[in-house]
Amino acid sequence: MSASGRSRDNFDQGWLFHKGDIPIPYAVKGGMTGGLTDCAQREEGEWLNIAYVDKEAQQVQDGWSPVRLPHDWCLDEQYVNDPELGSRAGSHGYLPTGIGFYRKRFAMPAGELGRTIALQFDGVTGRSTVWVNGHLIGERFGGYTSFSYDISDVLRYGTEGENVILVKVDATDFEGWWYEGSGIYRHVWLQSTNSLQVADSGTFIAASNLSDEQATLRIETRISNKEELERPFELRTFIKKSESGCEIGALVMQSKVVDIGEKVIEQELIVETPRLWSPEQPFLYIAISEVYENNQLLDRYETTFGIRSLLFDADRGFVLNGSPYPIKGTSNHQDFAGVGVAMPDALIAYKLKLLKEMGCNAYRSAHHPPSPALLDLCDRMGMLVMNENRKLDSSPRGLEELSRMVIRDRNHPSVILWSLENEEVLEGTVMGARILKTMSKLTRKLDPTRPTMAAMNHGWSSGGYAEAVDIVGYNYGHRGADLDGRSKNPDRLIIGSESASFTTTRGIYEDDPVKGYCSAYGTSIPSWGCSPERSWSDVIQHPFLTGVFLWTGFDYRGEPTPYEWPCIGSHFGMMDSCGFPKDVYYFMRALWRDEPLVHLLPHWNWPGREGEPIRVMVYTNCDTIELILNGRSLGQRKVQPMSSLEWQVPYEPGELKAIGRNQGEVTAETKRITSGKPHAIFLEADRLSIAADGADIAAIRVSIVDMRGYVVPYADTEVSFCVEGAGLLLGVGNGNPSSHESDRASSRRAFNGHALALVQAGSEGGGITVKAAAAGLLPAVLTMEAHPAAGAFMEEAALLGEGEERYV
């Protein structure tokens, strides 16, 4: 037991996995509803035969393999050209789902007897069923919200024997129309507390009366009692600065609980000269709640929070800490190359760093509640979050899912909006309005500090639907609905909840329906989409639109619009599924960041097209651009705000350079150089030091370069990887939306010059050597170190910069 009276241990290691169904009939005696989970020997007897006859389930069956959570078994499957996979053709990325089982043995010390032991899941795909020592504990449907079970009664303590947990995951039903994976794909925890404790997610801290001099904190704490006793207690609350641990305030309150149940304690504290949270300065505080009974510490519960004010104004849009703050957002699903939806925390941090490097300040978790790990990282790294409920649903289960999301996430300063639904069929109908109003009322009751919204793609002006929420989301409002809504409802709060759907493939400059590629010029935009340029210019011209969430930050599995098979992934991202920037990434970076930037497209390798005009585009935030081919100036042009420049340049091998000037001074430049043949492999890691915790990772960017070190933009060489020492190869990818190679393999073909390898640390420190080899190319070796220090993944990544794509 922890000295604080509470322990919460990561429970990700030591699991076995079985793919496929195992029949487990429901028995009539307690403890016999899942014989496979029970590791004790049963006695023989007639009574046992009557009560439980499934003797085969007593034996652990073949086909189990060790896994560490989070885990997505879909990545071990083969791609199948079956349009029935998913809720519609191609939506799940042509990877089969099915049923799987997870099993884990563990011991529970005798000293834990009498305490409350909870098994907590951050997220399990689809329908999950949990047994502990043969007891059916619970069943759930819903893969995006956290849940927990009190397993205290059915555990074995000390010499009573070992414990066995069995989890059945049925992923055959789909909640969404995108890739959702299969498995226990988020963290699992084992928590031990006293019978008098702070309830799960039992604190709610809200700041008000904000000024430079002080802020008022309202602290609500739910105390849970599991004994049939009247119990006087003392609640001590301390507020500390997260970065220094310096205590800035304390409160003490006496109270009591009279029976089994909960007691809510309200406290108020003044913080002098508060440090405000923002994406630029994500300053955090910690509230420590201690529960004492007879001067004995029974529980110590920590809550991380931030102090900031937010306001949505009908004219100014979003106002953060008193100043207008345009939202530069992207919408995102939760998968990535190499891991599917089973995202290590370090990989989530890597994705957020890439988004921030682009200039993004907001993240929409589409279309589901995010993982707790993602919100923790958004708090620490500085990223606004639109937290989105899975669907329009006021049934008991739907309201429970909504409640869990709000109660779990309402202390995160990063969360600024509760999006209650996305593009529901019932938008604009009176029935839909009734459902939405019920959900909105519940959300406001649980959290009166943030507005509710709906991400709508129709029905903005009918049925009273839009009036059921605080803010009206316009998905693809560039079609005129947002401005029309403004003219008809001048006091309506509006946000660009989803926009763009700009379909491009990294390194491709001509649409290719056969291979399933979309040109980076944006010549294959779907009917509802538009260019990111159009989306952002609307916000700049009309501040009441508040901001925009582009669809999407990254490519993701499934939804291969505008294609189907052989394409298995989307094209919407500003980056591909490995996080390699597409050309459009630099356009948004030029719009969203102040640093001077010049980006040229396409590459300058066009053998056989000498003399033919090549469409050349420049993305920049400079005043003027001069284009130079092999030392000859092709002229200087003035840049219109939020626009690109375009030339038709007769192709000749060599160097194409763009020079950007502001007020006549050169402030940025870039060049494209005709590369030679593939010669060598170049490896670059986002970090060379990772934590030896068995979970931390480094992203290894792989490039195929010529003899001079320039990336070969057409290279598709297969690269084999070998990881030695204190790490392992977790997964691979290349960003090709039509690649059917396995992400679990030890090799991967490059796609347009690049590939990705994910290296995960072991549980012991030491050196890690990553080797990459390919036929006909010079191999590459990269050395890293795994250290016992925790939290290493928060170090800054060495991101791919804009330039001439040369590695020296």
Side-chain angles (χ1 to χ4, degrees):
M1 182 183 75
S2 168
S4 68
R6 171 188 293 261
S7 65
R8 189 171 186 260
D9 300 317
N10 184 277
F11 215 52
D12 289 346
Q13 297 191 63
W15 291 83
L16 295 173
F17 172 70
H18 178 279
K19 178 62 167 56
D21 200 4
I22 301 174
I24 300 179
Y26 186 86
V28 296
K29 296 290 184 182
M32 297 181 180
T33 54
L36 185 65
T37 73
D38 200 323
C39 59
Q41 294 292 323
R42 287 204 175 91
E43 298 179 359
E44 296 294 331
E46 183 180 358
W47 68 270
L48 182 61
N49 290 329
I50 294 172
Y52 191 85
V53 296
D54 181 34
K55 295 183 178 179
E56 289 75 16
Q58 305 290 324
Q59 306 300 320
V60 176
Q61 302 185 17
D62 294 335
W64 293 79
S65 56
V67 297
R68 178 184 177 121
L69 308 180
H71 180 243
D72 178 359
W73 80 68
C74 271
L75 295 194
D76 297 317
E77 303 298 310
Q78 297 292 320
Y79 293 98
V80 179
N81 184 7
D82 182 356
E84 300 302 316
L85 290 175
S87 58
R88 60 178 183 239
S91 66
H92 199 258
Y94 297 99
L95 281 174
T97 54
I99 296 173
F101 282 81
Y102 295 83
R103 190 172 190 266
K104 177 169 179 169
R105 288 175 177 258
F106 67 103
M108 183 60 63
E112 294 293 295
L113 180 63
R115 292 170 58 79
T116 300
I117 312 298
L119 184 63
Q120 301 176 331
F121 295 87
D122 284 350
V124 181
T125 310
R127 299 180 186 273
S128 64
T129 309
V130 177
W131 294 267
V132 177
N133 294 332
H135 295 263
L136 178 61
I137 300 300
E139 299 175 279
R140 286 192 63 85
F141 178 72
Y144 298 106
T145 50
S146 305
F147 60 95
S148 69
Y149 296 117
D150 183 340
I151 59 174
S152 310
D153 292 345
V154 300
L155 289 176
R156 299 187 179 97
Y157 300 86
T159 58
E160 294 178 19
E162 279 192 308
N163 300 280
V164 177
I165 291 175
L166 182 74
V167 181
K168 177 181 180 180
V169 179
D170 185 346
T172 54
D173 291 333
F174 298 93
E175 294 184 75
W177 53 94
W178 56 87
Y179 177 81
E180 298 183 280
S182 301
I184 306 179
Y185 75 100
R186 291 179 178 172
H187 295 305
V188 179
W189 309 88
L190 192 68
Q191 178 176 278
S192 173
T193 55
N194 282 300
S195 57
L196 187 65
Q197 59 182 270
V198 178
D200 284 342
S201 302
T203 58
F204 180 31
I205 303 169
S208 61
N209 302 321
L210 226 59
S211 69
D212 293 338
E213 290 73 34
Q214 63 179 29
T216 302
L217 295 185
R218 180 181 175 275
I219 307 167
E220 181 183 287
T221 309
R222 288 186 294 120
I223 305 298
S224 173
N225 178 41
K226 298 183 181 296
E227 299 287 349
E228 297 176 291
L229 300 171
E230 180 177 305
R231 305 180 71 175
F233 67 88
E234 183 175 86
L235 174 64
R236 303 177 187 175
T237 303
F238 307 92
I239 305 298
K240 295 185 176 182
K241 295 180 178 179
S242 177
E243 64 178 14
S244 64
C246 175
E247 184 178 313
I248 61 170
L251 297 166
V252 178
M253 180 170 287
Q254 310 285 339
S255 188
K256 66 179 180 180
V257 287
V258 296
D259 204 344
I260 295 174
E262 292 185 349
K263 179 70 173 288
V264 177
I265 305 297
E266 295 184 357
Q267 297 172 298
E268 196 171 276
L269 184 141
I270 302 297
V271 176
E272 303 293 342
T273 58
R275 295 274 302 275
L276 301 186
W277 184 96
S278 70
E280 291 71 30
Q281 294 182 316
F283 190 85
L284 296 171
Y285 292 86
I286 297 175
I288 301 171
S289 306
E290 293 184 344
V291 180
Y292 287 81
E293 184 180 38
N294 298 324
N295 289 321
Q296 179 185 359
L297 176 64
L298 295 187
D299 194 15
R300 187 177 189 271
Y301 184 81
E302 293 190 3
T303 304
T304 300
F305 69 100
I307 298 175
R308 51 101 179 99
S309 68
L310 59 87
L311 170 71
F312 287 86
D313 184 84
D315 294 317
R316 296 184 294 166
F318 180 56
V319 179
L320 178 65
N321 297 328
S323 300
Y325 195 92
I327 290 175
K328 306 171 183 177
T330 61
S331 301
N332 296 278
H333 289 315
Q334 57 186 348
D335 65 301
F336 198 71
V339 296
V341 295
M343 294 284 292
D345 293 359
L347 199 51
I348 299 174
Y350 179 66
K351 291 181 68 176
L352 292 174
K353 283 184 277 194
L354 291 171
L355 289 171
K356 286 182 71 71
E357 182 74 7
M358 184 174 68
C360 178
N361 62 24
Y363 183 104
R364 179 190 180 201
S365 182
H367 306 286
H368 51 75
S371 69
L374 183 139
L375 291 182
D376 288 341
L377 286 164
C378 288
D379 288 346
R380 291 158 58 186
M381 298 175 66
M383 182 73 78
L384 306 172
V385 176
M386 179 196 291
N387 199 327
E388 192 154 274
N389 183 55
R390 175 59 211 96
K391 64 187 180 76
L392 184 72
D393 187 357
S394 63
S395 70
R397 190 179 80 186
L399 294 179
E400 181 197 6
E401 296 286 306
L402 176 61
S403 297
R404 285 178 177 273
M405 178 187 79
V406 175
I407 292 173
R408 186 196 70 176
D409 299 343
R410 59 188 178 178
N411 286 312
H412 289 280
S414 57
V415 176
I416 60 170
L417 284 166
W418 300 118
S419 176
L420 303 186
E421 61 93 347
N422 171 76
E423 297 186 358
E424 290 283 352
V425 175
L426 293 178
E427 289 173 355
T429 68
V430 292
M431 180 185 291
R434 290 195 296 267
I435 297 172
L436 186 62
K437 187 175 182 180
T438 296
M439 297 171 67
S440 196
K441 287 192 296 185
L442 173 62
T443 304
R444 293 191 194 103
K445 177 182 177 182
L446 296 174
D447 177 20
T449 71
R450 296 175 180 87
T452 62
M453 62 155 287
M456 302 170 61
N457 67 344
H458 69 285
W460 296 280
S461 301
S462 60
Y465 194 90
E467 287 69 40
V469 287
D470 301 315
I471 299 177
V472 181
Y474 283 81
N475 286 12
Y476 308 100
H478 61 268
R479 296 170 293 177
D482 49 6
L483 299 182
D484 182 62
R486 169 69 171 187
S487 63
K488 293 179 179 178
N489 305 275
D491 295 326
R492 174 176 285 181
L493 300 180
I494 291 175
I495 191 168
S497 43
E498 184 174 317
S499 189
S501 281
F502 191 68
T503 45
T504 63
T505 307
R506 176 179 59 79
I508 297 293
Y509 298 96
E510 186 175 352
D511 293 330
D512 190 337
V514 174
K515 293 182 178 179
Y517 299 148
C518 296
S519 169
Y521 293 121
T523 55
S524 186
I525 305 175
S527 60
W528 65 86
C530 71
S531 68
E533 173 185 342
R534 168 70 187 278
S535 297
W536 187 244
S537 62
D538 283 351
V539 173
I540 297 301
Q541 294 171 23
H542 307 289
F544 61 81
L545 295 178
T546 300
V548 71
F549 289 87
L550 300 176
W551 190 264
T552 53
F554 299 86
D555 284 347
Y556 53 92
R557 296 175 191 274
E559 281 201 300
T561 305
Y563 308 116
E564 294 181 10
W565 184 271
C567 193
I568 49 87
S570 79
H571 304 261
F572 299 112
M574 303 296 104
M575 290 169 274
D576 68 17
S577 59
C578 293
F580 289 113
K582 300 182 186 180
D583 292 297
V584 68
Y585 168 99
Y586 295 104
F587 184 73
M588 296 314 301
R589 179 169 166 171
L591 294 181
W592 283 355
R593 293 184 58 171
D594 294 331
E595 295 88 345
L597 173 74
V598 177
H599 176 79
L600 258 177
L601 67 145
H603 57 73
W604 207 236
N605 277 64
W606 302 102
R609 297 185 61 180
E610 286 77 7
E612 290 185 27
I614 302 296
R615 183 184 181 187
V616 173
M617 298 184 70
V618 176
Y619 297 152
T620 186
N621 51 13
C622 296
D623 295 338
T624 64
I625 292 293
E626 182 182 10
L627 198 63
I628 300 173
L629 177 61
N630 291 329
R632 305 188 310 274
S633 177
L634 303 183
Q636 183 169 287
R637 295 186 185 178
K638 184 175 177 58
V639 181
Q640 297 301 316
M642 294 177 291
S643 298
S644 58
L645 292 178
E646 184 172 332
W647 280 263
Q648 292 290 328
V649 180
Y651 176 65
E652 60 181 62
E655 178 187 276
L656 181 67
K657 181 163 68 173
I659 299 176
R661 294 180 173 87
N662 286 316
Q663 297 180 345
E665 297 292 328
V666 175
T667 54
E669 66 177 61
T670 190
K671 60 180 104 172
R672 292 289 174 259
I673 294 177
T674 306
S675 71
K677 295 180 179 180
H679 176 72
I681 302 169
F682 183 84
L683 301 180
E684 184 183 27
D686 70 317
R687 291 171 301 125
L688 295 177
S689 177
I690 58 178
D693 58 2
D696 199 7
I697 68 155
I700 313 296
R701 295 181 291 266
V702 184
S703 301
I704 309 300
V705 299
D706 67 7
M707 293 186 66
R708 298 171 296 169
Y710 295 112
V711 172
V712 182
Y714 58 84
D716 63 353
T717 313
E718 183 175 6
V719 181
S720 297
F721 302 98
C722 176
V723 178
E724 299 173 349
L728 56 85
L729 182 65
L730 179 63
V732 294
N734 61 10
N736 182 350
S738 295
S739 173
H740 296 174
E741 300 169 275
S742 172
D743 283 30
R744 299 286 198 213
S746 59
S747 65
R748 190 62 172 243
R749 299 190 75 87
F751 178 61
N752 293 332
H754 295 293
L756 182 76
L758 301 177
V759 174
Q760 189 168 52
S763 56
E764 296 183 1
I768 300 173
T769 301
V770 182
K771 299 179 179 179
L777 300 183
L778 292 179
V781 177
L782 184 146
T783 57
M784 306 165 49
E785 193 75 21
H787 293 286
F793 68 81
M794 288 303 297
E795 297 175 8
E796 285 297 321
L799 302 178
L800 281 174
E802 169 60 10
E804 57 190 32
E805 296 209 9
R806 180 178 180 181
Y807 299 92
V808 180

